[in-house]
Amino acid sequence: MTRKFSRLFWTLVLVAVLLTACGAKKTPDPNEAIRQIVAATLAALPAPTEAPRSTPYPSPTPFSLVGLFCEYQFCIGHPPETSFFDQRAVQNTAVTSSYSDGYLVALNGNLFLQVIWQYAPGTADPSFLLDTVIDTKVDTKTGNQEVKLIHNMNVIYTPITTTATTVLPFGAAAAWTCGDRVFAWKAYTPQAEAAAPLFQETLDKFTCQNQ
């Protein structure tokens, strides 16, 4: 074998080895690459936030709105057969009661009710509004004026008679302070003994803002 041929032979052998080595290298599997990308993406995702646990709440207690007036940020009871309405709105549709000042009336053939209130912060004595709700032209205080503690409120109460109507000649009037307002109540009734329990039932449902 000549030197020239020997050199060519070994060159071809080297080329064959290199080609064999290149041919032995596997072509990357695209599916495997996709699996690796998906696995890396899932690993990088933040862990899911635990769902909030349900908080048990007490079941609502049924509460009847029959015989209850709630407006102007206070509630007050009344007989179911009557309903309060805004007397000012009836007299003048442009003027209505408000939080700071109001006038309600309820009536039927056997009963007349009136509720008024005024904004009077710091007032402890509600006597001035009792004198306002009693119309001295037709109403007369009878018996002794009483001070009652009802729902931690000092309430001034007095029986009255009235000549406003011959059908309802008796009644009562009362006044009290709740929060930053003073309230007054008046009733005309057919019998004198009907006024006191009526007022008690009325105020049993009374609540006001900041009470």
Side-chain angles (χ1 to χ4, degrees), residues 26-96:
K26 294 183 179 180
T27 302
D29 184 355
N31 292 328
E32 180 63 25
I34 292 173
R35 283 194 292 270
Q36 291 177 0
I37 292 172
V38 171
T41 303
L42 292 176
L45 291 175
T49 304
E50 183 180 356
R53 298 180 179 178
S54 60
T55 304
Y57 293 99
S59 57
T61 302
F63 186 79
S64 175
L65 297 179
V66 175
L68 183 67
F69 174 89
C70 286
E71 191 60 82
Y72 310 110
Q73 298 184 43
F74 75 90
C75 293
I76 191 168
H78 59 82
E81 64 273 13
T82 65
S83 297
F84 280 116
F85 59 88
D86 191 333
Q87 178 65 17
R88 288 182 177 169
V90 172
Q91 293 174 338
N92 184 349
T93 56
V95 179
T96 61

